Amino acid sequence: MSKKIILTGDRPTGKLHLGHFVGSLRERINIQNSNDYDEMYIMIADAQALTDNADNPNKIRENIIEVALDYLSVGLNPEKVTLFIQSQVPELTELTFFYMNLVTVSRLERNPTVKSEIKLRNFNTSIPVGFWTYPISQAADITAFKANVIPVGEDQLPMIEQAREIVRSFNSTYKCKVLVEPKAVLPDNEVCLRLPGIDGKAKMSKSLGNCIYLSDSTEEVRKKVMSMYTDPNHIKIDDPGQIEGNTVFIYLDAFCTDEHFSKYLPEYKNLDELKAHYDRGGLGDVKIKKFLFNVLEEILTPIRERRKIYENKIEEVYNILEQGSLKARAKASITLKEVKDAMKINYFDDKELIKSHIEKYKNKGE
Ligand code: TRP
């Protein structure tokens, strides 16, 4: 039986928000609590974040602790999962350098996620090499731990595919079975793949200012929910309202359960009934927004409370990250050794090599 090893991570460029929560954090917690895994690693990808923030290391530094607090506050348990910082595991950099020989420039150019990120950042022709090659470093992150299960958002699928190719190429080039092919795990609820921002326009993202953060206060959440984009043509309560593209309903699809109805809106059994009423007309936006607010508050309150506890124990949080990084390093260095052995770059440990060279030069001078 092969082991089930989970690895995933986030770039520390800002606090985590509800998009992260439904896209991947919730799945991580489910796996953790199911106990159906052998090892689980969660990485704060500071080195990757630096590939397009080289001039702003302070931003990354400040956000490492934010992401760590978010991890702990959603319920990731450092006794059960290894939380670590990417840059503190230098073996990952070494693996990246070796894998670079197995990837062509044109393959990197085809990676759709990198392509769209380059556009988004207006790099034009001045793309930092580190940024452009980060899919290779991500393959190192994954393979260093022999991870086979990667809970990520949809945008990360091309990274996992590229990692799989690198694994196959490595194992066939060096005729070994050292590396393990990873598989992505996406949320099964479609709306969770791309949770829109509160403006309804695009994916929730820090740069667009349309996020609800896991660390937002009750008042902030209330304000944001009340300002959410709905159906612009639903002017009078009696008008029929549109469900499709209605951000409040998209969020309800992502977050609410039938129990939420019996608790906060007992005149409806479930979301289908609520949708049908909205569609018919006679249901106002304020009512659905208040319901969504209650649903989100039920989810966010325990997260906020746990965050408070850890905010008062920052030293302990750093200690968790430090211990986790040591543990991650120990594991990654085993893989690195196997990789180097497979590539025959273990010169000083290879007694046969040294002996054969002694033989080679033995009679030369005579
Ligand atoms: N690219 C991921 C993100 O932007 C972060 C990341 C880095 C990652 N290395 C990884 C995710 C390895 C999964 C596996 O969120």
Side-chain angles (χ1 to χ4, degrees):
M1 265 288 284
S2 68
K3 283 188 167 183
K4 183 165 172 184
I5 302 178
I6 326 282
L7 178 128
T8 186
D10 302 273
R11 295 181 199 172
T13 51
K15 297 176 172 193
L16 302 183
H17 51 61
L18 289 181
H20 295 112
F21 184 74
V22 293
S24 163
L25 291 171
R26 198 158 59 175
E27 183 61 31
R28 300 178 201 177
I29 302 290
N30 286 342
I31 298 174
Q32 171 191 280
N33 294 344
S34 75
N35 286 323
D36 176 27
Y37 64 96
D38 295 285
E39 297 166 39
M40 183 154 170
Y41 300 90
I42 311 260
M43 179 184 73
I44 301 181
D46 63 333
Q48 188 176 109
L50 283 165
T51 63
D52 64 330
N53 287 284
D55 55 350
N56 201 357
N58 221 32
K59 170 174 156 193
I60 308 307
R61 234 171 120 79
E62 291 305 315
N63 281 306
I64 287 174
I65 188 72
E66 296 297 337
V67 171
L69 286 167
D70 286 332
Y71 282 169
L72 293 164
S73 63
V74 294
L76 288 171
N77 176 354
E79 313 252 303
K80 298 174 88 176
V81 307
T82 304
L83 302 173
F84 72 98
I85 304 179
Q86 186 183 29
S87 64
Q88 303 308 299
V89 183
E91 287 76 9
L92 300 176
T93 323
E94 226 175 309
L95 287 173
T96 304
F97 197 68
F98 295 137
Y99 295 168
M100 281 184 169
N101 305 328
L102 303 173
V103 180
T104 63
V105 168
S106 65
R107 177 63 183 87
L108 276 178
E109 279 172 341
R110 281 201 310 274
N111 187 308
T113 300
V114 178
K115 250 189 187 160
S116 70
E117 285 175 330
I118 285 169
K119 261 207 202 106
L120 215 69
R121 286 165 178 72
N122 289 319
F123 280 146
N124 301 316
T125 51
S126 26
I127 308 161
V129 171
F131 183 80
W132 192 50
T133 55
Y134 89 74
I136 305 175
S137 125
Q138 193 154 332
D141 300 337
I142 294 168
T143 55
F145 299 91
K146 310 237 167 134
N148 45 9
V149 178
I150 320 294
V152 279
E154 194 184 27
D155 61 323
Q156 295 297 304
L157 287 179
M159 304 299 154
I160 312 302
E161 190 45 46
Q162 191 142 20
R164 291 166 63 86
E165 285 174 32
I166 289 172
V167 167
R168 289 197 289 266
S169 168
F170 185 93
N171 286 347
S172 84
T173 304
Y174 301 111
K175 301 190 179 42
C176 65
K177 289 186 179 143
V178 170
L179 301 183
V180 176
E181 274 190 54
K183 239 206 221 118
V185 183
L186 297 178
D188 33 12
N189 184 343
E190 182 120 9
V191 297
C192 296
L193 293 176
R194 255 161 203 280
L195 193 75
I198 54 172
D199 55 2
K201 278 200 194 101
K203 214 171 105 162
M204 192 173 274
S205 110
K206 199 177 101 123
S207 50
L208 296 170
N210 61 4
C211 303
I212 296 178
Y213 292 99
L214 297 173
S215 49
D216 276 351
S217 68
T218 298
E219 272 327 297
E220 284 167 319
V221 175
R222 192 197 312 274
K223 256 212 308 248
K224 288 179 182 178
V225 170
M226 287 312 186
S227 76
M228 258 166 110
Y229 179 83
T230 56
D231 170 6
N233 299 317
H234 186 227
I235 295 164
K236 285 192 259 83
I237 288 189
D238 288 336
D239 292 341
Q242 190 163 333
I243 310 284
E244 217 190 288
N246 187 317
T247 325
V248 174
F249 280 102
I250 296 173
Y251 279 42
L252 288 174
D253 270 324
F255 292 101
C256 88
T257 61
D258 293 355
E259 286 87 78
H260 287 130
F261 278 95
S262 56
K263 237 170 158 171
Y264 304 113
L265 207 57
E267 31 315 16
Y268 304 90
K269 259 212 308 286
N270 54 37
L271 191 52
D272 286 339
E273 281 189 6
L274 189 75
K275 281 180 178 171
H277 192 182
Y278 195 79
D279 182 59
R280 263 197 323 273
L283 175 57
D285 281 356
V286 171
K287 190 159 176 175
I288 57 168
K289 284 179 172 176
K290 280 192 172 151
F291 176 55
L292 174 61
F293 168 73
N294 283 325
V295 170
L296 291 181
E297 274 298 285
E298 182 168 322
I299 295 165
L300 291 172
T301 303
I303 295 177
R304 234 178 253 132
E305 283 168 1
R306 240 180 270 124
R307 200 178 214 274
K308 270 260 135 49
I309 295 172
Y310 283 107
E311 281 174 353
N312 289 312
K313 299 197 280 190
I314 294 295
E315 265 187 76
E316 187 183 320
V317 177
Y318 272 104
N319 193 40
I320 288 168
L321 295 175
E322 190 174 2
Q323 294 310 314
S325 299
L326 287 173
K327 212 170 142 194
R329 228 191 138 173
K331 170 92 184 193
S333 64
I334 296 172
T335 306
L336 178 61
K337 166 120 187 17
E338 292 170 355
V339 161
K340 286 178 160 179
D341 282 347
M343 295 175 73
K344 296 195 180 300
I345 46 181
N346 51 357
Y347 318 117
F348 305 135
D349 299 332
D350 189 346
K351 296 281 175 284
E352 286 307 308
L353 174 79
I354 298 169
K355 222 162 75 193
S356 77
H357 286 169
I358 292 171
E359 285 302 314
K360 182 175 170 189
Y361 288 105
K362 207 172 199 170
N363 305 318
K364 233 182 150 200
E366 286 164 14

